[in-house]
């Protein structure tokens, strides 16, 4: 039964989640359209529709940006508003691409698109260099721990393929990357309109001897092996078949469904249920296609436990070794996404994995200065600000540092009245650990 899981892991290794970002009019949608078109990932009827709309607008050639700007408002305004997801594949790799908005008003959508990305392609207009919004997107990529950042210096044709212009922008990018702690940033000169260095290398950029954008994306290292991470499984729903009383096969069935957030779990593994701290072992792993002997991130499965343990939605099933410590106090970095300001004393909801709890903002520690790339004192956070906050929770969550786990280290702040998402957050040092440095993680007995 274990073979299917192993095969799926091998297939997952070739998938790259990709997001694009940049300032308004930097050419993100055109670049994505060019990438899809030159890699022959556009259906004939899609291309025909784009050519028809382009002719109606009096254009001599197809406007490839229309391949991704799918909303009517986007096409009318010539900007990207929502995150447009596209799937395409080459002979070497499959891609899930999120084309994110560039306007500062829609930074929240960029956070959404980049939150699950393995790589971000950030566009910079060669004529303008790095702008405030560019620095904001670099900061978001750094905070979200995106493994790879590729800066495409676009519209290189409008500066006559001048290598000095490219070198100047590349130097700006390098300085910003160092200041923000981005470990892997690469810069490529491109022309999304003409196709230079997008899929094929261009002879018009002799000052650049690196790969094209697509070649680089195909060669990026795959995600880390799930077995290198600790097992974490947020419970989404408890399953008790409705026909259990009439079908003897399911009389004693109780399963816990969810998605493996990190790591690998096998039948027989000792686990702990948090925040209660009760320990047990994994008795079975079920899917719609049958039983498995192991499951790994990001598979969706149902776990059966050997003991009758009280488990509910929002609980976390984790490996006993290095199990995280529940906490009711969190210090984290947030991207504030609401029009109204965030001030100390605000009563919100905090959603962490599948658990939602009441929360109060105890303090706004500071705001990130995008130019200086450092935290400065602040009494509040405004729309699109990035800052540090201290939050007190009504009940514990099992949060880890974002640097340890993107899944169990992230959270959302939600308006309790209308359910709107107000902020996306990354867990930093929990206040309980900061105040009690001598405290050690709990040890759970098997």
């Amino acid at each position: 039964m274990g073979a299917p899981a192993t095969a799926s892991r091998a297939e997952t290794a070739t998938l790259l989640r990709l997001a694009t970002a940049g300032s308004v009019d930097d050419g993100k949608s055109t670049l994505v359209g060019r990438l899809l078109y030159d890699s022959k990932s556009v259906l004939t009827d899609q291309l025909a529709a784009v050519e028809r709309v382009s002719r109606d607008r009096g254009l001599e050639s197809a406007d490839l940006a229309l391949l991704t700007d799918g909303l009517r408002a986007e096409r009318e305004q010539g900007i990207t508003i929502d995150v447009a997801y596209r799937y395409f594949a080459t002979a070497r790799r499959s891609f899930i691409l999120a084309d994110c908005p560039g306007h500062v008003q829609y930074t929240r959508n960029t956070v959404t698109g980049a939150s699950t990305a393995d790589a971000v392609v950030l566009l910079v207009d060669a004529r303008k260099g790095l702008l405030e919004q560019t620095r904001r997107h670099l900061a978001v990529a750094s905070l979200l721990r995106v493994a790879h950042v590729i800066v495409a210096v676009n519209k290189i044709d409008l500066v006559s393929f001048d290598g000095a212009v490219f070198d100047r922008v590349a130097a700006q990018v390098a300085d910003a990357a160092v200041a923000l702690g981005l470990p892997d940033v690469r810069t490529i000169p491109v022309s999304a309109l003409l196709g230079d260095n997008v899929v094929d290398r261009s002879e018009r950029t002799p000052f650049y001897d690196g790969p094209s954008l697509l070649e680089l994306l195909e060669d990026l290292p795959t995600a880390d092996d799930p077995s290198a991470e600790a097992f974490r499984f947020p419970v989404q729903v408890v399953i008790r078949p409705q026909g259990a009383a009439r079908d003897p096969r399911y009389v004693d069935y109780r399963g816990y469904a969810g998605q493996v957030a990190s790591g690998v779990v096998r039948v027989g593994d000792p686990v702990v249920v948090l925040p209660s701290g009760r320990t047990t072992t994994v008795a079975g792993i079920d899917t719609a296609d049958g039983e498995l002997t192991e499951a790994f991130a990001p598979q969706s499965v149902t776990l059966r436990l050997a003991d009758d343990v009280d488990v509910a939605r929002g609980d976390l099933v984790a490996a006993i070794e290095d199990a995280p410590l529940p906490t009711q106090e969190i210090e984290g970095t947030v991207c504030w996404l609401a029009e109204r300001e965030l001030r100390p004393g605000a009563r919100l909801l905090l959603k962490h994995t599948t658990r939602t709890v009441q929360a109060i903002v105890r303090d706004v520690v500071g705001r990130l200065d995008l130019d200086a790339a450092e935290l400065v004192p602040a009494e509040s956070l405004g729309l699109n600000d990035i800052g540090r906050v201290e939050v007190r929770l009504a009940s514990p969550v099992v949060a880890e540092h974002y640097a340890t786990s993107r899944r169990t280290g992230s959270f959302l702040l939600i308006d309790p009245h209308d359910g709107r998402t107000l902020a996306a957050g990354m867990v930093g040092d929990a206040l309980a650990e900061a105040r009690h440095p001598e405290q050690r993680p709990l040890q759970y007995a098997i």
Side-chain angles (χ1 to χ4, degrees):
M1 287 293 188
T6 303
S8 297
R9 193 187 304 183
E11 294 169 3
T12 304
T14 65
L15 176 67
L16 187 78
R17 295 182 179 273
L18 172 68
T20 61
S23 299
V24 175
D25 294 331
D26 277 352
K28 296 174 302 304
S29 297
T30 301
L31 178 71
V32 174
R34 173 63 64 182
L35 192 61
L36 297 174
Y37 179 76
D38 285 359
S39 64
K40 298 179 174 55
S41 300
V42 181
L43 299 177
T44 303
D45 58 341
Q46 289 179 308
L47 182 59
V50 167
E51 290 175 339
R52 182 172 61 253
V53 173
S54 299
R55 285 196 302 271
D56 293 342
R57 293 183 174 182
L59 301 177
E60 296 181 359
S61 59
D63 183 358
L64 298 180
L66 298 177
L67 290 170
T68 55
D69 284 343
L71 298 179
R72 178 177 298 178
E74 294 176 329
R75 294 190 176 193
E76 291 175 350
Q77 299 179 52
I79 64 173
T80 301
I81 296 175
D82 201 1
V83 180
Y85 289 94
R86 295 290 183 270
Y87 172 86
F88 71 102
T90 66
R92 298 178 56 192
R93 172 168 269 177
S94 299
F95 300 89
I96 296 177
L97 186 149
D99 181 26
C100 302
H103 199 286
V104 65
Q105 179 180 351
Y106 304 110
T107 299
R108 68 196 77 180
N109 294 12
T110 301
V111 174
T112 300
S115 62
T116 58
D118 301 308
V120 166
V121 177
L122 178 60
L123 270 77
V124 175
D125 190 323
R127 301 167 299 175
K128 301 175 182 178
L130 260 66
L131 305 176
E132 180 183 4
Q133 183 69 343
T134 313
R135 296 180 185 277
R136 181 176 286 108
H137 286 154
L138 283 171
V140 167
S142 176
L143 293 170
L144 292 175
R145 296 292 196 277
V146 179
H148 311 284
V149 176
I150 303 169
V151 177
V153 182
N154 192 27
K155 304 184 181 182
I156 196 70
D157 54 304
L158 297 184
V159 294
S160 303
F161 298 94
D162 190 340
V165 173
F166 171 73
D167 290 340
R168 182 169 63 251
V169 177
Q172 294 175 345
V173 170
D175 291 342
V178 171
L180 293 168
L182 286 163
D184 183 20
V185 179
R186 314 184 195 192
T187 311
I188 301 177
V190 304
S191 171
L193 183 64
L194 303 179
D196 295 86
N197 291 327
V198 178
V199 171
D200 300 314
R201 301 186 192 189
S202 173
E203 296 180 354
R204 293 185 284 193
T205 55
F207 52 87
Y208 173 75
D209 59 359
S212 70
L213 175 61
L214 183 60
E215 289 174 337
L216 180 54
L217 293 175
E218 288 181 325
D219 288 336
L220 285 179
T222 56
D224 294 334
D225 187 345
S227 61
E229 300 179 338
F231 170 64
R232 305 287 186 261
F233 182 80
V235 176
Q236 184 172 357
V237 64
V238 179
I239 296 180
R240 291 294 303 274
Q242 294 181 354
R246 297 184 298 273
D247 192 332
R249 294 177 300 171
Y250 302 115
V251 170
D252 297 322
Y253 188 93
R254 182 187 291 268
Y256 308 100
Q259 185 181 55
V260 180
S262 63
V264 179
V265 64
R266 299 175 179 84
V267 174
D269 282 356
V271 293
V272 59
V273 179
L274 299 171
S276 68
R278 292 288 303 276
T279 60
T280 182
T281 59
V282 176
I285 305 172
D286 298 332
T287 70
D289 298 322
E291 295 185 33
L292 300 176
T293 58
E294 73 168 18
F296 58 90
Q299 282 184 309
S300 295
V301 298
T302 298
L303 298 185
R304 285 180 282 116
L305 303 179
D307 302 296
D308 187 11
V309 181
D310 184 15
V311 183
R313 173 182 170 85
D315 287 351
L316 183 79
V317 181
I320 287 182
E321 185 178 358
D322 295 328
L325 185 66
T327 182
Q328 288 183 246
E329 295 182 326
I330 287 178
E331 181 178 353
T333 303
V334 299
C335 299
W336 188 247
L337 310 175
E339 297 284 350
R340 75 179 197 224
E341 291 187 335
L342 174 66
R343 293 183 177 276
R347 295 183 179 274
L348 310 169
L349 296 177
L350 183 142
K351 180 176 175 58
H352 175 262
T353 63
T354 58
R355 190 178 187 86
T356 302
V357 301
Q358 294 180 343
I360 182 170
V361 178
R362 297 182 58 176
D363 189 25
V364 175
V365 179
R367 175 182 56 81
L368 179 65
D369 185 319
L370 294 174
D371 291 324
E374 62 183 16
L375 208 66
V376 297
E379 297 181 354
S380 64
L381 296 180
L383 176 65
N384 295 321
D385 277 347
I386 298 171
R388 299 279 292 178
V389 298
E390 297 175 358
V391 182
R392 172 70 182 177
L393 309 178
S395 57
V397 298
V398 191
E400 300 182 88
H401 291 191
Y402 192 83
T404 301
S405 171
R406 293 177 76 181
R407 288 292 304 277
T408 58
S410 59
F411 62 90
L412 298 176
L413 294 179
I414 299 172
D415 190 320
H417 302 295
D418 57 20
R420 289 186 301 117
T421 298
L422 302 177
M426 290 70 70
V427 177
D429 292 335
L431 291 181
E433 295 178 10
R435 291 173 179 168
H436 306 285
E438 74 283 354
Q439 187 173 3
R440 296 292 183 264
L442 294 177
Q443 298 298 316
Y444 299 98
I446 301 177

